[in-house]
Amino acid sequence: VAAPKERQQPNVLGNAILQLLSRSPASGYDLKARFYASIGRGWHAYDTQIYRELKSLEQAGYTTGRVVKGRAGPERRMYSITPRGKAAIAEWLASPMDLHKVKDEFALRVWSADLFPPGAFEQYLRDAREEWATMLENERMSLRVLVAEHGEPDGAAPANVFGRQLGIEFHIMTTEARLAWIDRALKVIASRADAGYVDTEDVD
Amino acid sequence: VAAPKERQQPNVLGNAILQLLSRSPASGYDLKARFYASIGRGWHAYDTQIYRELKSLEQAGYTTGRVVKGRAGPERRMYSITPRGKAAIAEWLASPMDLHKVKDEFALRVWSADLFPPGAFEQYLRDAREEWATMLENERMSLRVLVAEHGEPDGAAPANVFGRQLGIEFHIMTTEARLAWIDRALKVIASRADAGYVDTEDVD
DNA sequence: TCCAACATGTAAACGGTTACATGATTAC
DNA sequence: GTAATCATGTAACCGTTTACATGTTGGA
C-alpha cells in the first residue's frame, strides 16, 4: 500500500468516528445516522464533514474502505477500523483534556440576562425549559429501553452497552441540572418583580 | 463616516464581546482578561481571535475605537459599543438557538467508556472529579463575594450584577451535576468489579 | 539587568458551516 | 409520476487554533 499521509493525531471528530467504527464497520451514511441517534448527544457533526473526515482517516491509515452494493440506490463505501486506528483511540483517551475551553451559547446568554428587554428573559427561560423537558423524557425512555434489553449497567449489561448507558445517564443528569437552574432563575425573577424591579433593563 | 462593511450579524464571539463592551469600554487586552475571569465560563476565546474580531466589529460599525496612552507599555486601543452594536445584541438575544449542536469532549469520552484499557476509565473519572471539585470551590467563593458586595440576586442586587450571579449559579449547578454523575459512574464500576467483570475491555 | 506584565498584532493551517450537485430505488 | 429515502460528494466561506513577531514600562 501507499505510505500513509502524514497526520500526527486524528482530531476530535476523527476520534468520534473511529469510536463508532470500532464497534462495527459503517458507511458515511450510517455514521451520519449514528451521530444523530447516539453520539450526537456529545458531539455534533454535519454529514459533509463526516464524508470529508472519512477520506482523511483512510488516507492516514486509520481506516480501510471498500465499495459495497447499496441497500437501495447508489453504491456504499464501507469503512472498517485498522489496528492503527485502534491505537489512535487509545492515545486519544489517554491524552489530557482542557476543561476550560467551553463553548456553550446558552451559558453565554445567561451572562447577558440583564440585557434582555423587560420580560423577555423570563419567556426565554420558559421556552428553554419546555424544550429540555421534552428531550429529557426521550432520554429517560432510551435508557429504559437499554436497561430492559441488556440489564442495569452495574453488573448485568455487557461492556459495549455500559458506555452507552453511562452516556445517556450523563446527558440526563446534566439536563436535569439545567432545568433545576431554570426553576431557580424563574423564582429569582419573580422575587425581583415583587420587590418592584423589572427583571431586566437596558443600560444607557 | 465611511459606509460600514457589509456584515449581516455578528457571530457568537462578536456578541460575547459586544456584551462586555455594553457594560464599559475596553481594550483587547482588557477583554482577554475578562474572558478569562468571567464570561469565559460560557465561551472560550483566544486573544488573537479577540483582536481580529474587534477590528471586524469596528469596520461593521458595531463599535468605535480610539487610541489611548497605555498604563504601562505601548498604546491601547479602547473600544466602545455603538447604538448599532446594542441593536445587534438585542437581535442576537431574540434569535433562536439550536440546542442539538453540542460539542462536549468529556461527554464524548464517556460514550467510549468501554474502550479504555482496564482500570483506566476509573482513574480518568477520579482525576476529573478532583479538577471539577476545585473549580466548584472557586465558583462558590466568587458567588459569595458577589452576594456580599451586592446582595442576593432576588431583589437586592442591581440588574447588571444579576446576570453575573445567575451565570455563576448556572456554572455551579451544572458542575455539581457532573460530579454527581461521576460518583454514580464510580459506583457502577465498583459493582461490576464485584460481580467479576473488569470495568472495560477492548473488543477484538 | 532581567523578568513579568502591558499591549498589539500577522500568517498559515485546520475545522465547521452553508450552498450546491447528482443520481438510484421503493412506495404511494 | 412524484416524493421519500438511499447514498455520496465538491466548493467556498467563515471561525478557530497555533506559531511567530514586536516593543515598552516597572519592579526585584
Coordinates of all heavy atoms in Angstrom, one line a residue, chain D residues 4-24:
Chain D
dA4 P -41.7 14.3 0.3 OP1 -42.6 14.8 1.4 OP2 -40.7 15.2 -0.2 O5' -41.1 13.0 0.9 C5' -41.9 11.8 1.2 C4' -41.0 10.6 1.4 O4' -40.5 10.1 0.2 C3' -39.8 11.0 2.3 O3' -39.6 9.9 3.3 C2' -38.6 11.0 1.3 C1' -39.1 10.0 0.3 N9 -38.5 10.3 -1.1 C8 -38.4 11.5 -1.7 N7 -37.9 11.4 -2.9 C5 -37.7 10.0 -3.1 C6 -37.2 9.3 -4.2 N6 -36.7 9.8 -5.3 N1 -37.1 7.9 -4.0 C2 -37.5 7.4 -2.8 N3 -38.0 8.0 -1.8 C4 -38.1 9.3 -2.0
dT5 P -38.6 10.0 4.5 OP1 -39.3 9.5 5.7 OP2 -38.0 11.4 4.5 O5' -37.5 9.0 4.1 C5' -37.9 7.7 3.7 C4' -36.7 7.0 3.0 O4' -36.5 7.5 1.6 C3' -35.3 7.3 3.7 O3' -34.7 6.0 3.9 C2' -34.5 8.1 2.7 C1' -35.2 7.6 1.3 N1 -35.0 8.5 0.1 C2 -34.6 7.9 -1.1 O2 -34.4 6.7 -1.2 N3 -34.4 8.7 -2.1 C4 -34.6 10.1 -2.1 O4 -34.4 10.8 -3.1 C5 -35.0 10.7 -0.8 C7 -35.2 12.1 -0.7 C6 -35.2 9.8 0.2
dC6 P -33.3 5.8 4.5 OP1 -33.3 4.6 5.3 OP2 -32.8 7.1 5.0 O5' -32.4 5.5 3.2 C5' -32.7 4.3 2.4 C4' -31.7 4.2 1.3 O4' -32.0 5.4 0.4 C3' -30.3 4.4 1.7 O3' -29.5 3.3 1.2 C2' -29.8 5.7 1.2 C1' -30.8 5.9 0.0 N1 -31.0 7.4 -0.3 C2 -30.7 7.8 -1.6 O2 -30.3 7.0 -2.5 N3 -30.8 9.1 -1.9 C4 -31.3 10.0 -0.9 N4 -31.4 11.3 -1.3 C5 -31.6 9.5 0.4 C6 -31.4 8.2 0.6
dA7 P -28.1 2.9 1.8 OP1 -27.7 1.7 1.2 OP2 -28.2 3.0 3.3 O5' -27.2 4.1 1.3 C5' -26.5 4.0 0.1 C4' -25.9 5.3 -0.3 O4' -26.9 6.3 -0.6 C3' -25.0 6.0 0.7 O3' -23.7 5.4 0.6 C2' -25.0 7.5 0.1 C1' -26.1 7.5 -0.9 N9 -26.9 8.7 -0.9 C8 -27.7 9.2 0.1 N7 -28.2 10.4 -0.1 C5 -27.7 10.7 -1.3 C6 -27.8 11.9 -2.1 N6 -28.6 13.0 -1.7 N1 -27.2 12.0 -3.3 C2 -26.4 10.9 -3.6 N3 -26.2 9.8 -3.0 C4 -26.9 9.7 -1.8
dT8 P -22.5 6.3 1.4 OP1 -21.4 5.3 1.4 OP2 -22.9 6.9 2.6 O5' -22.1 7.4 0.3 C5' -21.7 7.0 -1.0 C4' -21.4 8.2 -1.8 O4' -22.5 9.1 -1.9 C3' -20.3 9.0 -1.2 O3' -19.1 9.1 -2.0 C2' -20.8 10.4 -1.1 C1' -22.0 10.4 -2.0 N1 -23.0 11.4 -1.5 C2 -23.3 12.4 -2.4 O2 -22.9 12.5 -3.5 N3 -24.2 13.3 -1.9 C4 -24.8 13.3 -0.6 O4 -25.6 14.2 -0.3 C5 -24.5 12.2 0.2 C7 -25.1 12.1 1.6 C6 -23.6 11.3 -0.3
dG9 P -17.7 9.3 -1.4 OP1 -16.6 9.0 -2.4 OP2 -17.6 8.7 -0.1 O5' -17.8 10.9 -1.2 C5' -17.2 11.6 -2.1 C4' -18.1 12.7 -2.7 O4' -19.3 12.9 -2.1 C3' -17.4 14.0 -2.6 O3' -16.3 14.1 -3.5 C2' -18.5 15.0 -3.0 C1' -19.8 14.2 -2.6 N9 -20.7 14.9 -1.7 C8 -21.1 14.4 -0.4 N7 -21.9 15.2 0.2 C5 -22.1 16.3 -0.8 C6 -22.9 17.5 -0.7 O6 -23.7 17.8 0.2 N1 -22.8 18.2 -1.9 C2 -22.0 17.9 -2.9 N2 -21.9 18.8 -3.9 N3 -21.2 16.8 -3.0 C4 -21.3 16.1 -1.9
dT10 P -15.1 15.1 -3.1 OP1 -13.9 14.6 -3.8 OP2 -15.1 15.4 -1.7 O5' -15.6 16.4 -3.9 C5' -16.3 16.4 -5.2 C4' -16.6 17.8 -5.5 O4' -17.8 18.3 -4.8 C3' -15.5 18.8 -5.2 O3' -15.4 19.7 -6.3 C2' -15.9 19.5 -3.9 C1' -17.5 19.4 -4.0 N1 -18.2 19.3 -2.8 C2 -19.2 20.3 -2.5 O2 -19.4 21.2 -3.3 N3 -19.8 20.1 -1.3 C4 -19.6 19.1 -0.4 O4 -20.3 19.0 0.6 C5 -18.6 18.1 -0.7 C7 -18.3 17.0 0.2 C6 -17.9 18.3 -1.9
dA11 P -14.2 20.8 -6.3 OP1 -13.9 21.0 -7.8 OP2 -13.1 20.4 -5.4 O5' -14.9 22.1 -5.8 C5' -16.2 22.5 -6.2 C4' -16.5 23.9 -5.6 O4' -17.2 23.7 -4.4 C3' -15.3 24.7 -5.3 O3' -15.6 26.0 -5.8 C2' -15.1 24.6 -3.8 C1' -16.6 24.4 -3.3 N9 -16.7 23.6 -2.1 C8 -16.0 22.5 -1.7 N7 -16.4 21.9 -0.6 C5 -17.5 22.7 -0.3 C6 -18.4 22.6 0.8 N6 -18.3 21.7 1.8 N1 -19.4 23.5 0.9 C2 -19.5 24.4 -0.1 N3 -18.7 24.6 -1.2 C4 -17.7 23.7 -1.2
dA12 P -14.5 27.2 -5.6 OP1 -14.6 28.0 -6.8 OP2 -13.2 26.7 -5.1 O5' -15.2 28.1 -4.4 C5' -16.6 28.3 -4.5 C4' -17.1 29.0 -3.2 O4' -17.2 28.0 -2.1 C3' -16.0 30.0 -2.7 O3' -16.7 31.2 -2.3 C2' -15.3 29.3 -1.5 C1' -16.5 28.5 -1.0 N9 -16.1 27.3 -0.2 C8 -15.0 26.5 -0.4 N7 -15.0 25.5 0.4 C5 -16.1 25.6 1.2 C6 -16.6 24.9 2.4 N6 -16.0 23.8 2.8 N1 -17.7 25.4 2.9 C2 -18.3 26.5 2.5 N3 -17.9 27.3 1.4 C4 -16.8 26.8 0.9
dC13 P -16.0 32.5 -1.8 OP1 -16.6 33.6 -2.5 OP2 -14.5 32.2 -1.8 O5' -16.4 32.6 -0.3 C5' -17.8 32.3 0.1 C4' -17.8 32.0 1.6 O4' -17.2 30.7 1.8 C3' -17.0 33.0 2.4 O3' -17.9 33.6 3.3 C2' -16.0 32.1 3.1 C1' -16.6 30.7 3.1 N1 -15.7 29.5 3.2 C2 -16.0 28.6 4.1 O2 -17.0 28.7 4.9 N3 -15.2 27.5 4.2 C4 -14.1 27.3 3.4 N4 -13.4 26.2 3.6 C5 -13.8 28.3 2.5 C6 -14.6 29.4 2.4
dC14 P -17.6 34.9 4.1 OP1 -18.8 35.8 4.0 OP2 -16.2 35.4 3.8 O5' -17.5 34.3 5.6 C5' -18.6 33.5 6.1 C4' -18.1 32.7 7.3 O4' -17.1 31.7 6.8 C3' -17.3 33.6 8.3 O3' -18.0 33.4 9.5 C2' -15.9 33.0 8.3 C1' -16.1 31.6 7.8 N1 -15.0 30.9 7.2 C2 -14.7 29.6 7.6 O2 -15.3 29.1 8.6 N3 -13.6 28.9 7.1 C4 -12.9 29.5 6.1 N4 -11.9 28.7 5.6 C5 -13.2 30.8 5.6 C6 -14.3 31.4 6.2
dG15 P -17.7 34.1 10.9 OP1 -18.9 34.4 11.6 OP2 -16.7 35.2 10.6 O5' -16.9 33.0 11.6 C5' -17.6 31.8 12.0 C4' -16.6 30.9 12.8 O4' -15.6 30.4 12.0 C3' -15.9 31.6 14.0 O3' -16.0 30.7 15.1 C2' -14.5 31.8 13.5 C1' -14.3 30.6 12.5 N9 -13.4 30.7 11.4 C8 -13.3 31.7 10.4 N7 -12.4 31.5 9.5 C5 -11.9 30.2 9.9 C6 -10.8 29.5 9.3 O6 -10.2 29.7 8.3 N1 -10.6 28.3 10.0 C2 -11.2 27.9 11.2 N2 -10.9 26.8 11.7 N3 -12.2 28.6 11.7 C4 -12.5 29.8 11.1
dT16 P -15.3 30.9 16.5 OP1 -16.1 30.3 17.5 OP2 -14.8 32.3 16.6 O5' -14.0 30.0 16.3 C5' -14.1 28.6 16.0 C4' -12.8 27.9 16.1 O4' -11.9 28.2 15.0 C3' -12.0 28.2 17.4 O3' -11.6 27.0 17.9 C2' -10.9 29.1 16.9 C1' -10.6 28.5 15.5 N1 -10.1 29.4 14.4 C2 -9.1 28.9 13.6 O2 -8.6 27.8 13.8 N3 -8.7 29.7 12.6 C4 -9.2 30.9 12.3 O4 -8.7 31.6 11.3 C5 -10.3 31.4 13.1 C7 -10.9 32.8 12.9 C6 -10.7 30.6 14.1
dT17 P -10.8 26.8 19.2 OP1 -11.2 25.5 19.8 OP2 -10.9 28.0 20.1 O5' -9.3 26.7 18.8 C5' -8.9 25.6 18.0 C4' -7.4 25.8 17.5 O4' -7.4 26.8 16.6 C3' -6.5 26.1 18.6 O3' -5.6 25.0 18.8 C2' -5.7 27.4 18.1 C1' -6.0 27.4 16.6 N1 -6.1 28.7 15.9 C2 -5.4 28.8 14.8 O2 -4.6 28.0 14.3 N3 -5.5 30.1 14.1 C4 -6.3 31.1 14.6 O4 -6.4 32.2 13.9 C5 -7.1 30.8 15.8 C7 -8.0 31.9 16.3 C6 -7.0 29.7 16.4
dT18 P -4.4 24.9 19.8 OP1 -4.3 23.5 20.2 OP2 -4.6 26.0 20.8 O5' -3.1 25.4 18.9 C5' -2.9 24.7 17.7 C4' -1.7 25.3 17.0 O4' -2.0 26.5 16.4 C3' -0.5 25.7 18.0 O3' 0.6 25.0 17.5 C2' -0.4 27.2 18.0 C1' -1.1 27.5 16.6 N1 -1.8 28.8 16.5 C2 -1.6 29.6 15.4 O2 -0.8 29.2 14.4 N3 -2.3 30.8 15.3 C4 -3.2 31.2 16.3 O4 -3.8 32.3 16.1 C5 -3.3 30.4 17.4 C7 -4.3 30.8 18.5 C6 -2.6 29.3 17.5
dA19 P 2.1 25.1 18.2 OP1 2.7 23.8 18.2 OP2 1.9 25.8 19.5 O5' 2.9 26.1 17.3 C5' 2.6 26.2 15.9 C4' 3.4 27.4 15.3 O4' 2.5 28.5 15.2 C3' 4.6 27.8 16.1 O3' 5.6 28.1 15.1 C2' 4.1 29.1 16.8 C1' 3.1 29.7 15.7 N9 2.1 30.6 16.3 C8 1.4 30.4 17.4 N7 0.5 31.4 17.6 C5 0.7 32.2 16.5 C6 0.0 33.4 16.1 N6 -0.9 34.0 16.9 N1 0.4 34.0 14.9 C2 1.3 33.4 14.2 N3 2.0 32.2 14.5 C4 1.6 31.7 15.7
dC20 P 7.1 28.6 15.6 OP1 8.0 28.0 14.7 OP2 7.2 28.4 17.1 O5' 7.0 30.2 15.3 C5' 6.8 30.6 13.9 C4' 6.5 32.1 13.9 O4' 5.3 32.4 14.7 C3' 7.6 32.9 14.5 O3' 8.2 33.7 13.5 C2' 7.0 33.7 15.6 C1' 5.5 33.7 15.2 N1 4.5 33.9 16.3 C2 3.6 35.0 16.2 O2 3.7 35.7 15.2 N3 2.7 35.2 17.2 C4 2.6 34.3 18.2 N4 1.7 34.6 19.1 C5 3.5 33.2 18.3 C6 4.5 33.0 17.4
dA21 P 9.5 34.6 13.7 OP1 10.2 34.7 12.4 OP2 10.2 34.1 14.9 O5' 8.8 36.0 14.1 C5' 7.9 36.6 13.2 C4' 7.6 38.0 13.7 O4' 6.5 37.9 14.6 C3' 8.8 38.6 14.5 O3' 9.1 39.8 13.9 C2' 8.2 38.8 15.9 C1' 6.7 38.8 15.7 N9 5.9 38.4 16.9 C8 6.0 37.2 17.6 N7 5.1 37.1 18.6 C5 4.4 38.3 18.5 C6 3.3 38.8 19.2 N6 2.8 38.2 20.3 N1 2.8 40.0 18.9 C2 3.4 40.7 17.8 N3 4.4 40.3 17.1 C4 4.9 39.1 17.4
dT22 P 10.4 40.6 14.4 OP1 11.0 41.2 13.2 OP2 11.3 39.8 15.3 O5' 9.8 41.8 15.3 C5' 8.6 42.4 14.9 C4' 8.2 43.3 16.0 O4' 7.3 42.6 16.9 C3' 9.3 43.9 16.9 O3' 9.5 45.2 16.6 C2' 8.9 43.6 18.3 C1' 7.4 43.2 18.2 N1 7.0 42.2 19.2 C2 5.8 42.6 20.0 O2 5.3 43.6 19.8 N3 5.4 41.7 20.9 C4 6.0 40.4 21.2 O4 5.6 39.7 22.0 C5 7.2 40.1 20.4 C7 7.9 38.8 20.6 C6 7.6 41.0 19.5
dG23 P 10.9 46.0 17.0 OP1 11.2 47.0 16.0 OP2 12.0 45.0 17.4 O5' 10.5 46.7 18.4 C5' 9.4 47.6 18.4 C4' 8.9 47.7 19.8 O4' 8.3 46.5 20.2 C3' 10.0 48.0 20.8 O3' 9.9 49.4 21.2 C2' 9.7 47.0 22.0 C1' 8.3 46.5 21.6 N9 8.0 45.2 22.2 C8 8.6 44.0 22.0 N7 8.1 43.1 22.7 C5 7.1 43.7 23.5 C6 6.2 43.2 24.5 O6 6.2 42.1 25.0 N1 5.4 44.2 25.0 C2 5.4 45.5 24.6 N2 4.6 46.4 25.2 N3 6.2 46.0 23.7 C4 7.0 45.0 23.2
dT24 P 10.7 49.9 22.5 OP1 11.0 51.4 22.2 OP2 11.7 49.0 22.9 O5' 9.5 49.9 23.5 C5' 8.3 50.7 23.3 C4' 7.6 50.8 24.7 O4' 7.2 49.4 25.1 C3' 8.4 51.4 25.8 O3' 7.6 52.4 26.5 C2' 8.7 50.2 26.7 C1' 7.6 49.2 26.4 N1 7.9 47.8 26.6 C2 7.2 47.0 27.5 O2 6.3 47.5 28.2 N3 7.5 45.7 27.6 C4 8.5 45.1 26.8 O4 8.7 43.9 27.0 C5 9.2 45.9 25.9 C7 10.3 45.3 25.1 C6 8.9 47.2 25.8

